[in-house]
Each structure stands twice: as structure tokens, then as C-alpha cells.
Amino acid sequence: MPDVISARNELLPESARVRNIACDLNDISWFGEIDDTDGACFMAAGVFYYFTKDNVKKLFSAMEQRFLGGRLVFDSANERAVKIMLKTWVKEAGITSIKDYFSLSSAETELAYLADTAISSRGYMLGYNDLKDPSVPGLFRLLAKLGDGFMKMQIVRLDFGNQTN
């Protein structure tokens, strides 16, 4: 949305290879703003939690068709975690069921509808950090196990047009 992109541009200005587009992700007309001649990499952190599963499925499917050879990287969590994260927002919006909102427990299984896309994921914290290192505090280890285990927090990577599953 425009206000979010405005704040982002102040903190992380655009560069020759980075472009921030103010748009509604549910209106895929923004695809036309992307020059993917040399490929395209999309990053979405903390974004899809606010969208329904149906909206995300439509977006991912459209991206799979349009951005062959492109990549999308995003974070996700299971339904339990999304419910905790969105608790205040859900209450303010008058939403009674969180089940329709985007969440993942197993990216490879739940995104299998993307037939021409390689899907991979790693734990949000455990997938990138060696917790055996003595310098890692015990509290971090506990939070990592809760986040990646109990809440199934993960970083997901979709490589469009590169089916290898």
C-alpha cells in the first residue's frame, strides 16, 4: 500500500536493482511494472499473514504463469502462530475465524498446486543458525525451537518454472 511503501522508501531506498511498488497485491496489474528480462526476485516479509488463503493462492498461481524463472521468498507460520500474531487486528476487524487467512505448516505439501514451481523451505530461526555454537544464548535456543517447532515458522522459496519436487 502507498503509505507502507513510502515508509519503506525512507528506510530502504530504491536502487538500480530494487524497486518498491505501491499497489494492492490482489490487483495483479502491477505485474506490468516489472521488467523481468533478466529475471525477477520478490521478497515479502510479514506480508501474506494479512491475506486470505484464496488471495495468496491466486497471486502465487498468477506469478507462476507470468514470472517464469523468477523467485519469491517469504515468511510463513502455521495457523496457531497467525492467530497469535493477528489477534488484535482480527478483533478490530470483526473477524470471527482465522482459518481463511494464509498460514502454512508444510510449504512443500500445501503449495503443491504450483505444478511448475520448485518449493523449498527452512525453519525461520533453526534453518539458518547453528544453535550448537556456545555463543548462542539459551533463551534464543528456546525461542527458536518454539518458533520453528510449535509455530512452524519458516522461510519459503518459490522458483517459478523450475519444478524439481
Side-chain angles (χ1 to χ4, degrees):
M1 296 298 176
D3 57 334
V4 174
I5 294 301
S6 176
R8 180 178 173 84
N9 283 335
E10 286 181 32
L11 297 169
L12 300 165
E14 291 185 0
S15 65
R17 296 177 49 97
V18 175
R19 179 129 185 258
N20 298 322
I21 301 171
C23 66
D24 178 348
L25 289 179
N26 294 316
D27 174 3
I28 63 170
S29 63
W30 63 269
F31 285 10
E33 305 247 351
I34 306 296
D35 175 6
D36 63 330
T37 307
D38 295 321
C41 181
F42 303 91
M43 295 188 201
V47 173
F48 298 125
Y49 303 112
Y50 299 95
F51 290 83
T52 65
K53 290 177 184 178
D54 188 51
N55 289 136
V56 172
K57 183 176 183 175
K58 288 177 186 173
L59 176 63
F60 288 0
S61 295
M63 290 180 81
E64 178 183 51
Q65 295 302 307
R66 168 62 173 81
F67 298 109
L68 292 176
R71 175 176 292 163
L72 170 62
V73 179
F74 63 94
D75 59 321
S76 71
N78 68 12
E79 187 176 308
R80 181 180 308 139
V82 172
K83 186 174 184 177
I84 292 167
M85 285 186 275
L86 301 182
K87 188 175 184 177
T88 304
W89 179 75
V90 167
K91 191 180 285 185
E92 289 174 4
I95 296 167
T96 57
S97 173
I98 196 74
K99 291 189 182 301
D100 291 335
Y101 282 81
F102 183 73
S103 62
L104 291 175
S105 290
S106 170
E108 291 81 357
T109 301
E110 295 172 59
L111 300 176
Y113 59 85
L114 297 168
D116 294 321
T117 295
I119 303 164
S120 61
S121 66
R122 289 184 174 191
Y124 191 85
M125 298 172 86
L126 298 173
Y128 295 91
N129 295 300
D130 179 8
L131 298 184
K132 295 175 187 160
D133 187 310
S135 66
V136 176
L139 180 60
F140 182 84
R141 290 175 202 199
L142 174 65
L143 292 173
K145 287 178 183 177
L146 284 172
D148 288 5
F150 181 70
M151 295 190 213
K152 298 290 184 203
M153 295 171 65
Q154 55 192 311
I155 302 295
V156 180
R157 178 173 138 180
L158 306 179
D159 290 308
F160 302 119
N162 293 307
Q163 173 61 323
T164 59
N165 298 8

